[in-house]
Amino acid sequence: MQRPGHGAALAALPCLVALVADAAVFAMTRRQLPDRLATHFRLDGTADGFTGRGAFLATSALLLAGFAAVMAVLVGRATTRSGWLLVTGYAVAGLTGSLFVSVQLVNHAAHGDASAVRLSPWHLALAVMVAAACAGAGLLLARTLPSPDPDSPSAHHARLGLADGELAAWAQATGSWPLGALGLVLTAAALALFPFTGPAAAALLAGGLPSLCFARLYVTVGRQGLTVTPGRLPWPRIRLPLESMTEASHRHVDALGDFGGWGYRIRSGASGVILRSGPALVVRRAGGREFAVTVDDPATAAALLNTLIARREAH
């Protein structure tokens, strides 16, 4: 049995290692660094932006520490195995930490003249290689994360007691009031700005209308399988036929921890329509991938799907 903080500690580890490395290099090179470090570079590698030594250390430390805290919270709150999140966090920490160290080293080599600093493509290539190595380490460590308990109540694959030939269907509306509010604000702003600036209004409208359309979804379960439709619109819709399913279940999902955000999400081994954190209907497909949709009363929907799947297999 893994300790509750095991995932959070693993998630924060690469950021903390990068933070220690960044601080150690700064301590060793501080006396030889320019008063203002070259910290921003053009495509050809020459410097065009500068930051004070203390400000650079404070900024890099805050970024790495903040990212460590965010990753610890996301992985720690995840209710499913979040290996993909761990791998991403390790890669970002490796890339960021390597670039911070490289910036200090190239400034150290300039012997006090920050205007002569150049960040070569080799430094970028090295950062990418470090990120890839860290991602590999994250992939190996992800195997130590706990899997969902198959004996938990939310994982039971119950069925409804339908008689032979008896038909049943289930439908439920689900939505996100923050997404709807965002759509209203963007659409209202677009209408207000349209007489003054057409392009800006069009950009706001392009964000507002989809937000309004997808703020409310309708989820139906029946002989045709599972269907997710945005509002009252006939398209775009997601339909999973019974033939593509092997089982259905329900569980609590965390939008950020399990899927990395809201909306239509794709991650390793799963996809879904995630409008909020909370109960979700989860369907396992024939290839082993899962599809999840956050909706009220997913237990009834899962039981009906399991009954229909079993009935179809029996025939």
Side-chain angles (χ1 to χ4, degrees):
M1 178 69 70
Q2 301 289 351
R3 297 186 303 274
H6 176 74
L10 285 182
L13 178 61
C15 303
L16 298 180
V17 171
L19 177 58
V20 170
D22 181 50
V25 172
F26 183 85
M28 291 186 292
T29 61
R30 178 171 57 87
R31 296 183 182 279
Q32 292 78 35
L33 290 175
D35 290 335
R36 290 179 61 80
L37 279 66
T39 54
H40 192 272
F41 302 87
R42 301 185 183 94
L43 291 177
D44 62 358
T46 56
D48 65 351
F50 305 87
T51 305
R53 284 184 299 185
F56 172 81
L57 179 63
T59 301
S60 59
L62 285 174
L63 284 174
L64 290 171
F67 188 60
V70 170
M71 291 301 301
V73 170
L74 292 181
V75 175
R77 290 176 57 188
T79 55
T80 60
R81 177 174 291 193
S82 50
W84 66 276
L85 193 58
L86 199 69
V87 171
T88 301
Y90 271 59
V92 172
L95 181 70
T96 307
S98 179
L99 288 175
F100 284 154
V101 170
S102 291
V103 165
Q104 294 187 70
L105 293 179
V106 295
N107 276 275
H108 175 265
H111 304 291
D113 184 10
S115 62
V117 171
R118 185 174 184 274
L119 191 70
S120 73
W122 291 108
H123 290 101
L124 301 178
L126 177 62
V128 172
M129 288 189 288
V130 171
C134 290
L139 185 61
L140 292 176
L141 291 172
R143 299 176 181 176
T144 69
L145 293 177
S147 299
D149 183 5
D151 294 324
S152 64
S154 63
H156 288 313
H157 308 302
R159 299 181 185 178
L160 291 182
L162 296 182
D164 290 341
E166 185 178 1
L167 301 179
W170 176 94
Q172 186 74 258
T174 183
S176 169
W177 70 262
L179 186 60
L182 176 63
L184 285 174
V185 170
L186 292 178
T187 303
L191 295 176
L193 291 175
F194 185 77
F196 308 101
T197 169
L204 290 173
L205 197 62
L209 289 180
S211 297
L212 284 175
C213 292
F214 291 96
R216 189 166 182 81
L217 301 176
Y218 288 91
V219 184
T220 58
V221 169
R223 291 184 301 170
Q224 303 302 318
L226 169 67
T227 303
V228 182
T229 306
R232 297 293 183 181
L233 300 177
W235 185 90
R237 67 171 57 192
I238 299 172
R239 174 171 289 169
L240 277 65
L242 285 177
E243 304 85 61
S244 68
M245 306 177 190
T246 58
E247 62 186 14
S249 61
H250 62 96
R251 63 171 176 259
H252 184 281
V253 300
D254 182 274
L256 279 175
D258 295 332
F259 285 90
W262 298 265
Y264 182 75
R265 313 299 299 178
I266 299 176
R267 66 171 178 81
S268 177
S271 61
V273 180
I274 310 299
L275 294 186
R276 65 192 183 194
S277 296
L281 171 64
V282 182
V283 173
R284 183 172 295 275
R285 310 184 71 173
R289 289 181 60 83
E290 289 185 341
F291 176 83
V293 56
T294 49
V295 65
D296 292 333
D297 190 26
T300 302
L304 176 57
L305 277 175
N306 285 325
T307 300
L308 296 175
I309 292 170
R311 177 182 290 180
R312 180 183 177 278
E313 292 175 348
H315 292 81

